[in-house]
Amino acid sequence: ETGVTQTPRHLVMGMTNKKSLKCEQHLGHNAMYWYKQSAKKPLELMFVYSLEERVENNSVPSRFSPECPNSSHLFLHLHTLQPEDSALYLCASSHILPGQGGEKLFFGSGTQLSVL
Amino acid sequence: SQQGEEDPQALSIQEGENATMNCSYKTSINNLQWYRQNSGRGLVHLILIRSNEREKHSGRLRVTLDTSKKSSSLLITASRAADTASYFCATDSASGNQFYFGTGTSLTVIP
């Protein structure tokens, strides 16, 4: 148990559906992340919420929309996805000390998403 | 791209042997980290080495860092079947709040 919980564990959706992935951390961290992991590709950093700042990877399509209502919860809203969006979506959290570099990430178990 | 790149992509060894994996990166870093992932699960942090450190040990793990060559290595000594997993290096951004991973090294330890 890493202290980072993701739900659901598996998700199958059609291209016209709208769904949301949820992540919750119980570690008191001040930064949360969404990563996408596809086969044979590097983990792709999608979004970061850190110290009340949002950083996004400009290559992520707008059909992915993050929401971070507080420092413990993170959502990824999905709509009109494509089959190539099928992947393992990983949430992570960390504690950022300004000016001291990144500390270790704690990952959830991921949501395996299949888009039909 | 700031992503690290692990080498080799796949490694298969006998139990008891040592396993060495390498990581190269392109930009300046504050620290470099190594993670492990079992199939279909989240990544688990193994060890962090700061840019002003050259070597670090944790149990059977030994990590080296050469910032002049922008490279790091992870050595697992006396490997066990349970070490079978994928291993990733991660570098951080200048601001320290973003982390970049490569495609990983898939390690198989044969009993």
Side-chain angles (χ1 to χ4, degrees):
Chain A
E1 182 58 52
T2 63
V4 179
T5 304
Q6 284 188 248
T7 55
R9 186 75 180 89
H10 301 274
L11 179 62
V12 179
M13 58 187 289
M15 291 191 285
T16 58
N17 291 159
K18 290 184 180 180
K19 297 286 185 182
S20 295
L21 309 185
K22 180 182 176 182
C23 178
E24 186 173 356
Q25 59 98 358
H26 309 276
L27 302 167
H29 288 164
N30 60 5
M32 296 188 77
Y33 307 78
W34 281 116
Y35 281 90
K36 174 184 178 183
Q37 186 175 33
S38 304
K40 308 295 184 185
K41 293 183 180 179
L43 268 76
E44 179 186 0
L45 177 59
M46 301 176 73
F47 302 102
V48 181
Y49 282 86
S50 167
L51 301 172
E52 301 182 7
E53 174 193 11
R54 171 173 143 179
V55 178
E56 52 189 274
N57 181 342
N58 292 329
S59 67
V60 175
S62 59
R63 55 186 182 266
F64 294 91
S65 174
E67 179 189 1
C68 190
N70 55 60
S71 60
S72 299
H73 294 86
L74 183 65
F75 297 89
L76 188 62
H77 303 301
L78 318 171
H79 63 96
T80 59
L81 294 191
Q82 303 298 309
E84 61 263 30
D85 297 322
S86 298
L88 180 66
Y89 289 84
L90 293 163
C91 172
S93 71
S94 179
H95 193 70
I96 301 297
L97 297 171
Q100 296 191 29
E103 296 298 318
K104 62 182 180 180
L105 291 168
F106 290 77
F107 282 85
S109 296
T111 294
Q112 187 65 54
L113 173 66
S114 297
V115 181
L116 304 179
Chain B
S1 169
Q2 293 185 251
Q3 289 164 335
E5 186 173 323
E6 294 88 350
D7 169 63
Q9 291 188 347
L11 180 61
S12 183
I13 60 174
Q14 295 289 329
E15 199 165 33
E17 294 181 338
N18 295 341
T20 299
M21 288 158 270
N22 302 296
C23 169
S24 59
Y25 58 93
K26 297 179 180 176
T27 61
S28 297
I29 59 172
N30 298 300
N31 62 53
L32 184 143
Q33 305 181 46
W34 284 91
Y35 288 80
R36 165 198 168 121
Q37 183 183 35
N38 288 87
S39 181
R41 307 292 293 183
L43 281 73
V44 176
H45 180 265
L46 294 176
I47 195 165
L48 180 154
I49 186 165
R50 301 198 184 279
S51 59
N52 61 354
E53 297 176 309
R54 291 296 167 260
E55 187 172 314
K56 203 161 184 179
H57 297 254
S58 177
R60 294 185 295 114
L61 304 180
R62 172 180 169 246
V63 169
T64 62
L65 178 64
D66 186 334
T67 53
S68 66
K69 295 181 179 178
K70 291 188 169 58
S71 67
S72 174
S73 68
L74 171 67
L75 170 67
I76 303 174
T77 61
S79 64
R80 306 166 181 168
D83 294 329
T84 294
S86 292
Y87 292 82
F88 297 83
C89 67
T91 54
D92 65 345
S93 61
S95 60
N97 69 344
Q98 298 170 56
F99 301 83
Y100 300 94
F101 292 79
T103 53
T105 292
S106 176
L107 173 66
T108 301
V109 180
I110 303 166

